[in-house]
């Protein structure tokens, strides 16, 4: 994994800390930030797929197939 150093504003740092302390899904900021990036990537892929479907007028995949494709791309 790539190691990064980032600077956070005070409100963003406090928000990250509160998410970690209240949700217990994440043990540290890195886990939470990685999850937020995955969510953003997933949203971006969905938006791209929607834009393509709007251009073409139809989609030939079921929603289950689209979801499976998104999950595979996030690995």
């Amino acid at each position: 994994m790539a190691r990064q150093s980032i600077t956070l504003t005070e409100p963003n740092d406090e928000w990250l800390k509160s998410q970690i302390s209240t949700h217990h899904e994440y043990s540290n900021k890195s886990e939470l930030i990685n999850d937020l990036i995955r969510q953003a990537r997933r949203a971006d892929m969905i938006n791209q797929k929607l834009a393509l479907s709007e251009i073409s007028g139809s989609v030939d995949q079921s929603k289950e197939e689209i979801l499976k494709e998104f999950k595979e791309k996030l690995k």
Side-chain angles (χ1 to χ4, degrees):
M1 254 187 252
R3 186 165 179 84
Q4 302 291 317
S5 174
I6 62 171
T7 303
L8 301 170
T9 63
E10 187 66 30
N12 287 344
D13 188 47
E14 291 302 319
W15 183 84
L16 287 172
K17 289 175 186 175
S18 73
Q19 294 301 301
I20 293 166
S21 66
T22 59
H23 293 287
H24 306 291
E25 294 177 51
Y26 312 102
S27 60
N28 57 52
K29 291 178 190 176
S30 292
E31 288 179 6
L32 176 53
I33 290 170
N34 272 303
D35 191 41
L36 292 170
I37 291 169
R38 276 190 294 275
Q39 291 175 34
R41 289 175 53 208
R42 184 179 305 118
D44 188 47
M45 285 187 279
I46 291 169
N47 288 333
Q48 288 176 16
K49 185 68 88 172
L50 288 171
L52 288 174
S53 68
E54 287 177 355
I55 292 168
S56 71
S58 66
V59 175
D60 60 351
Q61 291 175 295
S62 71
K63 60 184 174 184
E64 291 80 16
E65 291 171 327
I66 293 170
L67 181 60
K68 182 181 176 186
E69 178 185 333
F70 291 149
K71 287 181 178 181
E72 288 173 0
K73 286 183 180 179
L74 289 176
K75 290 181 183 176

